[in-house]
Amino acid sequence: MTSALLSMAMAGTLAMVTPGTAEAVTVRPGAKWGQVDVLLDTYETEQVRRSFWAATVVCWNSGVGGALLSIGVCQTAITVCAAQAYYASPRRRAGMTVTFWGQYWCWKY
């Protein structure tokens, strides 16, 4: 009971604090079976690069954090992907492919 209430409260808090990031994350099937792509737009890429909390929101709302990767691994991975895309020349948007086996890789678009 307590963990269910905590989960609901956390989900509500995450959505309230950063509604732009929470609603705009795009998740789609990957190119191969067992893959999921997480796509960040320009705003999300910048926010995730700057804020570990934004990375938490992306991981939680995309369904990748906790389901395919542990939440901590997802936060670190999406932050690295966002930083690589943000500092690329010219500046790009971040993407991350995650497999059901817990592997991930970054890409820019």
Side-chain angles (χ1 to χ4, degrees), residues 27-73:
V27 180
R28 68 178 189 196
K32 296 183 181 176
W33 186 87
Q35 295 179 347
V36 175
D37 292 338
V38 178
L39 307 164
L40 303 180
D41 64 20
T42 305
Y43 174 78
E44 293 162 341
T45 298
E46 183 176 350
Q47 293 305 307
V48 169
R49 175 195 63 88
R50 293 177 33 204
S51 165
F52 205 62
W53 183 252
T56 304
V57 172
V58 167
C59 290
W60 184 271
N61 288 324
S62 69
V64 171
L68 301 177
L69 297 173
S70 70
I71 196 74
V73 171

Side-chain angles (χ1 to χ4, degrees), residues 3 14 21 24-25 33 44 51 88 92 105 108:
S3 70
L14 292 173
T21 302
V25 173
W33 186 87
E44 293 162 341
S51 165
R92 311 291 283 231
W105 57 92
K108 302 177 256 322

